[in-house]
Amino acid sequence: MTEPPRPPGAGDPGNYPPEPTSPSSYPSAEPPTAPLSGAPGPGGYPPAGGYPPPTGDQPPSGGYPPAGGYPPPGGYPPGGNPAGGYPTGGAYGGPGGGFASNEDKTWALVAHFGGAAGMILSGGVLGWIGPLVALLARGNQSPTVRSHAVAALNFQLLWSIVGLVGWVLSCILIGFLGVAAALILGAVFGIIAGIKANEGQLYRYPLSVNFIK
């Protein structure tokens, strides 16, 4: 008795896929290894020219510059500071008649206001006493006090001589004019010089003669 014909390939053992015989034939479950050195990472190679500079609030490499900018090569000059800073010297500091201490300021005021007071109290002949006292007491220790005292002494000494001559010639009318001029000018300009000295300035007396330098 003959078998019915089979479909092509049916029952042919050579057409079936071979069964796995070892575990090595299954797909590996291990994770992929890292790329070799020099291989591109997950994001690939950087673009030509490198990555773009940081934007937004992210600081550049090295951080932001300090306020006022970096100092110039060699640093700031002596007494200098960034962004203008504060001026050097204090309320009584600096050249041009400024004072290094309150004591210097006091003696400068004695020279100017003392000269004005001397002219008023003596009738125009003793305005030089106040500046002379300031010069002898503090002039050798402080060049600033000396400059104030010498300026006041030269002015008051000149007009004290004018006032003295006016008193000598008081027998005639012109003598009283000299006394009045010495009294008024010595008092007014002495007060003005004292106000300027209180502000730290050296006042240049008008109508003065340099008897003492």
Side-chain angles (χ1 to χ4, degrees):
M1 184 175 183
T2 61
E3 296 180 359
R6 298 179 180 180
D12 189 358
N15 293 331
Y16 289 98
E19 295 182 359
T21 58
S22 64
S24 59
S25 60
Y26 290 100
S28 175
E30 296 180 0
T33 58
L36 300 177
S37 177
Y45 290 105
Y51 292 105
T55 58
D57 297 333
Q58 183 178 1
S61 177
Y64 292 109
Y70 293 105
Y76 294 107
N81 40 52
Y86 298 98
T88 57
Y92 310 115
F99 305 105
S101 64
N102 285 331
E103 185 178 3
D104 289 353
K105 180 181 179 181
T106 299
W107 282 109
L109 296 180
V110 168
H112 298 297
F113 287 131
M119 294 296 277
I120 295 174
L121 296 177
S122 65
V125 295
L126 297 179
W128 51 273
I129 293 181
L132 181 61
V133 171
L135 179 62
L136 296 177
R138 190 67 180 174
N140 293 332
Q141 291 80 19
S142 174
T144 302
V145 174
R146 178 179 176 82
S147 63
H148 283 266
V150 167
L153 182 59
N154 285 329
F155 175 80
Q156 298 293 359
L157 187 59
L158 171 64
W159 288 99
S160 293
I161 294 174
V162 173
L164 180 61
V165 172
W167 281 111
V168 172
L169 300 178
S170 60
C171 57
I172 57 178
L173 183 60
I174 193 173
F176 289 105
L177 294 179
V179 172
L183 178 62
I184 295 174
L185 293 178
V188 170
F189 287 112
I191 293 174
I192 294 175
I195 295 174
K196 293 294 184 181
N198 188 55
E199 298 174 353
Q201 302 177 18
L202 177 61
Y203 180 72
R204 302 295 181 182
Y205 283 89
L207 306 175
S208 180
V209 178
N210 291 331
F211 295 109
I212 302 174
K213 296 183 179 179

Short mmCIF file of all heavy atoms in Angstrom, two decimals, residues 147-197:
data_model
loop_
_atom_site.label_atom_id
_atom_site.label_comp_id
_atom_site.label_asym_id
_atom_site.label_seq_id
_atom_site.Cartn_x
_atom_site.Cartn_y
_atom_site.Cartn_z
N SER A 147 53.53 129.30 57.39
CA SER A 147 53.07 130.06 56.24
C SER A 147 51.88 130.95 56.59
O SER A 147 51.80 132.10 56.13
CB SER A 147 52.70 129.10 55.10
OG SER A 147 51.62 128.24 55.48
N HIS A 148 50.96 130.45 57.43
CA HIS A 148 49.83 131.29 57.85
C HIS A 148 50.30 132.44 58.74
O HIS A 148 49.85 133.58 58.59
CB HIS A 148 48.81 130.42 58.60
CG HIS A 148 47.95 129.58 57.71
ND1 HIS A 148 46.72 129.98 57.26
CD2 HIS A 148 48.16 128.34 57.18
CE1 HIS A 148 46.19 129.03 56.49
NE2 HIS A 148 47.05 128.03 56.44
N ALA A 149 51.18 132.13 59.68
CA ALA A 149 51.64 133.16 60.62
C ALA A 149 52.46 134.23 59.92
O ALA A 149 52.31 135.43 60.22
CB ALA A 149 52.45 132.51 61.74
N VAL A 150 53.31 133.85 58.98
CA VAL A 150 54.13 134.83 58.26
C VAL A 150 53.25 135.73 57.40
O VAL A 150 53.47 136.95 57.33
CB VAL A 150 55.19 134.09 57.41
CG1 VAL A 150 55.85 135.04 56.42
CG2 VAL A 150 56.24 133.47 58.32
N ALA A 151 52.24 135.14 56.73
CA ALA A 151 51.35 135.96 55.91
C ALA A 151 50.60 136.97 56.76
O ALA A 151 50.48 138.15 56.38
CB ALA A 151 50.36 135.06 55.16
N ALA A 152 50.10 136.55 57.91
CA ALA A 152 49.38 137.47 58.80
C ALA A 152 50.32 138.49 59.42
O ALA A 152 49.96 139.68 59.56
CB ALA A 152 48.67 136.67 59.90
N LEU A 153 51.53 138.06 59.79
CA LEU A 153 52.47 138.98 60.44
C LEU A 153 52.92 140.09 59.50
O LEU A 153 53.00 141.27 59.89
CB LEU A 153 53.67 138.19 60.95
CG LEU A 153 54.74 138.98 61.70
CD1 LEU A 153 54.15 139.68 62.93
CD2 LEU A 153 55.90 138.08 62.11
N ASN A 154 53.22 139.74 58.24
CA ASN A 154 53.64 140.76 57.29
C ASN A 154 52.55 141.80 57.05
O ASN A 154 52.83 143.01 56.96
CB ASN A 154 54.03 140.10 55.96
CG ASN A 154 55.37 139.40 56.04
OD1 ASN A 154 56.27 139.81 56.78
ND2 ASN A 154 55.52 138.33 55.27
N PHE A 155 51.31 141.34 56.95
CA PHE A 155 50.21 142.27 56.72
C PHE A 155 49.96 143.15 57.95
O PHE A 155 49.87 144.39 57.84
CB PHE A 155 48.95 141.50 56.35
CG PHE A 155 47.73 142.36 56.21
CD1 PHE A 155 47.50 143.09 55.06
CD2 PHE A 155 46.80 142.46 57.24
CE1 PHE A 155 46.37 143.90 54.93
CE2 PHE A 155 45.68 143.26 57.12
CZ PHE A 155 45.46 143.98 55.95
N GLN A 156 49.83 142.53 59.10
CA GLN A 156 49.50 143.29 60.30
C GLN A 156 50.66 144.21 60.73
O GLN A 156 50.42 145.29 61.28
CB GLN A 156 49.14 142.34 61.45
CG GLN A 156 47.93 141.46 61.20
CD GLN A 156 46.62 142.25 61.12
OE1 GLN A 156 46.58 143.48 61.28
NE2 GLN A 156 45.52 141.54 60.88
N LEU A 157 51.88 143.77 60.47
CA LEU A 157 53.01 144.63 60.82
C LEU A 157 53.02 145.91 59.98
O LEU A 157 53.29 147.01 60.50
CB LEU A 157 54.32 143.85 60.61
CG LEU A 157 55.60 144.53 61.09
CD1 LEU A 157 55.53 144.82 62.59
CD2 LEU A 157 56.82 143.66 60.78
N LEU A 158 52.71 145.79 58.70
CA LEU A 158 52.66 146.98 57.84
C LEU A 158 51.60 147.96 58.33
O LEU A 158 51.88 149.16 58.50
CB LEU A 158 52.38 146.55 56.40
CG LEU A 158 52.10 147.69 55.41
CD1 LEU A 158 53.33 148.59 55.26
CD2 LEU A 158 51.65 147.14 54.06
N TRP A 159 50.39 147.48 58.59
CA TRP A 159 49.32 148.39 58.96
C TRP A 159 49.41 148.82 60.42
O TRP A 159 48.84 149.85 60.80
CB TRP A 159 47.97 147.76 58.65
CG TRP A 159 47.76 147.71 57.16
CD1 TRP A 159 47.95 146.67 56.33
CD2 TRP A 159 47.38 148.82 56.35
NE1 TRP A 159 47.70 147.03 55.04
CE2 TRP A 159 47.35 148.35 55.02
CE3 TRP A 159 47.07 150.15 56.60
CZ2 TRP A 159 47.02 149.18 53.95
CZ3 TRP A 159 46.73 150.97 55.53
CH2 TRP A 159 46.71 150.48 54.22
N SER A 160 50.12 148.08 61.22
CA SER A 160 50.39 148.57 62.58
C SER A 160 51.33 149.77 62.54
O SER A 160 51.19 150.71 63.33
CB SER A 160 51.00 147.45 63.43
OG SER A 160 50.07 146.41 63.64
N ILE A 161 52.29 149.73 61.61
CA ILE A 161 53.18 150.89 61.44
C ILE A 161 52.39 152.09 60.96
O ILE A 161 52.58 153.23 61.42
CB ILE A 161 54.31 150.53 60.46
CG1 ILE A 161 55.22 149.46 61.07
CG2 ILE A 161 55.13 151.78 60.11
CD1 ILE A 161 56.27 148.94 60.11
N VAL A 162 51.46 151.83 60.00
CA VAL A 162 50.61 152.93 59.51
C VAL A 162 49.77 153.49 60.65
O VAL A 162 49.61 154.73 60.80
CB VAL A 162 49.71 152.43 58.36
CG1 VAL A 162 48.71 153.52 57.95
CG2 VAL A 162 50.56 152.03 57.16
N GLY A 163 49.21 152.63 61.48
CA GLY A 163 48.41 153.10 62.61
C GLY A 163 49.24 153.87 63.62
O GLY A 163 48.78 154.89 64.18
N LEU A 164 50.48 153.42 63.87
CA LEU A 164 51.34 154.12 64.82
C LEU A 164 51.70 155.52 64.31
O LEU A 164 51.67 156.51 65.06
CB LEU A 164 52.61 153.30 65.07
CG LEU A 164 53.62 153.91 66.04
CD1 LEU A 164 53.00 154.09 67.43
CD2 LEU A 164 54.87 153.05 66.12
N VAL A 165 52.01 155.59 63.02
CA VAL A 165 52.31 156.90 62.42
C VAL A 165 51.07 157.80 62.49
O VAL A 165 51.16 159.02 62.73
CB VAL A 165 52.79 156.73 60.97
CG1 VAL A 165 52.93 158.07 60.28
CG2 VAL A 165 54.12 155.98 60.95
N GLY A 166 49.89 157.21 62.29
CA GLY A 166 48.66 158.01 62.38
C GLY A 166 48.46 158.58 63.77
O GLY A 166 48.02 159.74 63.91
N TRP A 167 48.79 157.79 64.81
CA TRP A 167 48.65 158.32 66.17
C TRP A 167 49.67 159.43 66.44
O TRP A 167 49.37 160.39 67.15
CB TRP A 167 48.83 157.20 67.20
CG TRP A 167 47.60 156.35 67.37
CD1 TRP A 167 47.43 155.07 67.02
CD2 TRP A 167 46.37 156.77 67.96
NE1 TRP A 167 46.18 154.63 67.33
CE2 TRP A 167 45.49 155.66 67.91
CE3 TRP A 167 45.90 157.98 68.50
CZ2 TRP A 167 44.18 155.71 68.39
CZ3 TRP A 167 44.60 158.03 68.99
CH2 TRP A 167 43.76 156.90 68.92
N VAL A 168 50.84 159.29 65.88
CA VAL A 168 51.85 160.35 66.05
C VAL A 168 51.38 161.63 65.39
O VAL A 168 51.60 162.74 65.92
CB VAL A 168 53.20 159.88 65.48
CG1 VAL A 168 54.22 161.02 65.47
CG2 VAL A 168 53.74 158.70 66.29
N LEU A 169 50.75 161.49 64.24
CA LEU A 169 50.26 162.66 63.51
C LEU A 169 48.82 162.99 63.85
O LEU A 169 48.12 163.65 63.07
CB LEU A 169 50.39 162.42 62.00
CG LEU A 169 51.82 162.15 61.48
CD1 LEU A 169 51.79 161.88 59.99
CD2 LEU A 169 52.73 163.34 61.79
N SER A 170 48.38 162.55 65.01
CA SER A 170 46.99 162.80 65.38
C SER A 170 46.71 164.26 65.70
O SER A 170 45.54 164.67 65.81
CB SER A 170 46.60 161.96 66.60
OG SER A 170 47.44 162.30 67.71
N CYS A 171 47.79 165.00 65.82
CA CYS A 171 47.58 166.42 66.06
C CYS A 171 46.98 167.10 64.85
O CYS A 171 46.41 168.21 64.97
CB CYS A 171 48.90 167.09 66.45
SG CYS A 171 50.20 166.87 65.22
N ILE A 172 47.13 166.50 63.72
CA ILE A 172 46.49 167.04 62.53
C ILE A 172 45.47 166.00 62.04
O ILE A 172 45.51 164.83 62.41
CB ILE A 172 47.52 167.36 61.42
CG1 ILE A 172 48.34 166.11 61.08
CG2 ILE A 172 48.44 168.49 61.86
CD1 ILE A 172 49.34 166.34 59.95
N LEU A 173 44.57 166.42 61.24
CA LEU A 173 43.45 165.57 60.83
C LEU A 173 43.90 164.34 60.05
O LEU A 173 43.31 163.27 60.18
CB LEU A 173 42.47 166.40 59.99
CG LEU A 173 41.20 165.67 59.54
CD1 LEU A 173 40.39 165.19 60.74
CD2 LEU A 173 40.36 166.59 58.64
N ILE A 174 44.97 164.46 59.27
CA ILE A 174 45.39 163.34 58.43
C ILE A 174 45.85 162.15 59.26
O ILE A 174 45.79 161.00 58.83
CB ILE A 174 46.51 163.80 57.47
CG1 ILE A 174 46.74 162.74 56.39
CG2 ILE A 174 47.79 164.11 58.24
CD1 ILE A 174 47.72 163.19 55.30
N GLY A 175 46.29 162.38 60.48
CA GLY A 175 46.72 161.28 61.33
C GLY A 175 45.57 160.34 61.68
O GLY A 175 45.74 159.11 61.71
N PHE A 176 44.42 160.87 61.94
CA PHE A 176 43.26 160.03 62.26
C PHE A 176 42.82 159.19 61.05
O PHE A 176 42.28 158.09 61.22
CB PHE A 176 42.11 160.88 62.77
CG PHE A 176 42.36 161.44 64.13
CD1 PHE A 176 42.68 162.79 64.29
CD2 PHE A 176 42.25 160.64 65.26
CE1 PHE A 176 42.90 163.32 65.55
CE2 PHE A 176 42.47 161.17 66.52
CZ PHE A 176 42.80 162.50 66.67
N LEU A 177 43.05 159.69 59.86
CA LEU A 177 42.72 158.89 58.67
C LEU A 177 43.61 157.65 58.60
O LEU A 177 43.15 156.56 58.23
CB LEU A 177 42.89 159.74 57.41
CG LEU A 177 41.92 160.93 57.26
CD1 LEU A 177 42.23 161.70 55.99
CD2 LEU A 177 40.48 160.43 57.25
N GLY A 178 44.88 157.80 58.94
CA GLY A 178 45.78 156.64 58.96
C GLY A 178 45.40 155.63 60.02
O GLY A 178 45.45 154.41 59.79
N VAL A 179 45.00 156.11 61.19
CA VAL A 179 44.58 155.20 62.26
C VAL A 179 43.31 154.43 61.83
O VAL A 179 43.21 153.21 62.06
CB VAL A 179 44.33 155.98 63.55
CG1 VAL A 179 43.70 155.09 64.61
CG2 VAL A 179 45.63 156.59 64.06
N ALA A 180 42.35 155.13 61.25
CA ALA A 180 41.11 154.48 60.82
C ALA A 180 41.38 153.43 59.74
O ALA A 180 40.81 152.33 59.76
CB ALA A 180 40.13 155.53 60.32
N ALA A 181 42.25 153.77 58.79
CA ALA A 181 42.57 152.81 57.72
C ALA A 181 43.25 151.57 58.30
O ALA A 181 42.91 150.43 57.92
CB ALA A 181 43.46 153.47 56.67
N ALA A 182 44.19 151.78 59.20
CA ALA A 182 44.88 150.63 59.80
C ALA A 182 43.92 149.76 60.61
O ALA A 182 43.97 148.52 60.54
CB ALA A 182 46.03 151.12 60.68
N LEU A 183 43.04 150.40 61.37
CA LEU A 183 42.09 149.66 62.20
C LEU A 183 41.11 148.84 61.35
O LEU A 183 40.88 147.65 61.60
CB LEU A 183 41.34 150.64 63.10
CG LEU A 183 40.28 150.05 64.02
CD1 LEU A 183 40.88 149.06 64.99
CD2 LEU A 183 39.56 151.18 64.78
N ILE A 184 40.55 149.47 60.33
CA ILE A 184 39.52 148.79 59.52
C ILE A 184 40.14 147.68 58.67
O ILE A 184 39.65 146.55 58.65
CB ILE A 184 38.79 149.82 58.64
CG1 ILE A 184 38.00 150.80 59.52
CG2 ILE A 184 37.86 149.10 57.66
CD1 ILE A 184 37.36 151.94 58.74
N LEU A 185 41.22 148.00 57.97
CA LEU A 185 41.82 147.00 57.08
C LEU A 185 42.40 145.82 57.87
O LEU A 185 42.25 144.66 57.47
CB LEU A 185 42.91 147.65 56.23
CG LEU A 185 42.43 148.69 55.22
CD1 LEU A 185 43.60 149.31 54.46
CD2 LEU A 185 41.44 148.07 54.24
N GLY A 186 43.06 146.13 58.99
CA GLY A 186 43.65 145.05 59.79
C GLY A 186 42.59 144.11 60.35
O GLY A 186 42.79 142.88 60.38
N ALA A 187 41.45 144.66 60.77
CA ALA A 187 40.40 143.83 61.34
C ALA A 187 39.66 143.04 60.25
O ALA A 187 39.42 141.83 60.39
CB ALA A 187 39.42 144.70 62.12
N VAL A 188 39.29 143.72 59.16
CA VAL A 188 38.48 143.07 58.12
C VAL A 188 39.26 141.93 57.44
O VAL A 188 38.78 140.80 57.34
CB VAL A 188 38.00 144.10 57.09
CG1 VAL A 188 37.37 143.40 55.89
CG2 VAL A 188 37.00 145.06 57.72
N PHE A 189 40.47 142.23 56.99
CA PHE A 189 41.23 141.20 56.28
C PHE A 189 41.73 140.10 57.21
O PHE A 189 41.91 138.95 56.78
CB PHE A 189 42.39 141.83 55.52
CG PHE A 189 41.96 142.61 54.31
CD1 PHE A 189 42.09 143.99 54.26
CD2 PHE A 189 41.41 141.96 53.20
CE1 PHE A 189 41.70 144.71 53.15
CE2 PHE A 189 41.02 142.67 52.08
CZ PHE A 189 41.16 144.06 52.05
N GLY A 190 41.94 140.43 58.48
CA GLY A 190 42.30 139.38 59.43
C GLY A 190 41.16 138.39 59.64
O GLY A 190 41.38 137.18 59.74
N ILE A 191 39.94 138.90 59.70
CA ILE A 191 38.77 138.02 59.85
C ILE A 191 38.58 137.17 58.60
O ILE A 191 38.28 135.96 58.67
CB ILE A 191 37.52 138.84 60.16
CG1 ILE A 191 37.66 139.50 61.55
CG2 ILE A 191 36.27 137.96 60.11
CD1 ILE A 191 36.52 140.46 61.89
N ILE A 192 38.72 137.78 57.41
CA ILE A 192 38.57 137.01 56.17
C ILE A 192 39.61 135.90 56.09
O ILE A 192 39.30 134.76 55.72
CB ILE A 192 38.69 137.95 54.95
CG1 ILE A 192 37.51 138.92 54.92
CG2 ILE A 192 38.74 137.14 53.65
CD1 ILE A 192 37.59 139.96 53.82
N ALA A 193 40.85 136.22 56.45
CA ALA A 193 41.91 135.21 56.42
C ALA A 193 41.63 134.09 57.41
O ALA A 193 41.91 132.92 57.15
CB ALA A 193 43.26 135.86 56.71
N GLY A 194 41.07 134.43 58.59
CA GLY A 194 40.74 133.40 59.56
C GLY A 194 39.64 132.47 59.06
O GLY A 194 39.67 131.26 59.31
N ILE A 195 38.65 133.02 58.36
CA ILE A 195 37.58 132.18 57.80
C ILE A 195 38.15 131.24 56.75
O ILE A 195 37.79 130.05 56.70
CB ILE A 195 36.47 133.07 57.22
CG1 ILE A 195 35.78 133.88 58.34
CG2 ILE A 195 35.44 132.22 56.47
CD1 ILE A 195 34.77 134.88 57.85
N LYS A 196 39.03 131.73 55.90
CA LYS A 196 39.64 130.87 54.89
C LYS A 196 40.51 129.79 55.54
O LYS A 196 40.53 128.64 55.08
CB LYS A 196 40.49 131.72 53.94
CG LYS A 196 39.68 132.68 53.07
CD LYS A 196 38.80 131.92 52.10
CE LYS A 196 38.06 132.87 51.16
NZ LYS A 196 37.17 132.14 50.21
N ALA A 197 41.23 130.16 56.58
CA ALA A 197 42.06 129.16 57.28
C ALA A 197 41.19 128.08 57.92
O ALA A 197 41.58 126.91 57.98
CB ALA A 197 42.92 129.85 58.33
#
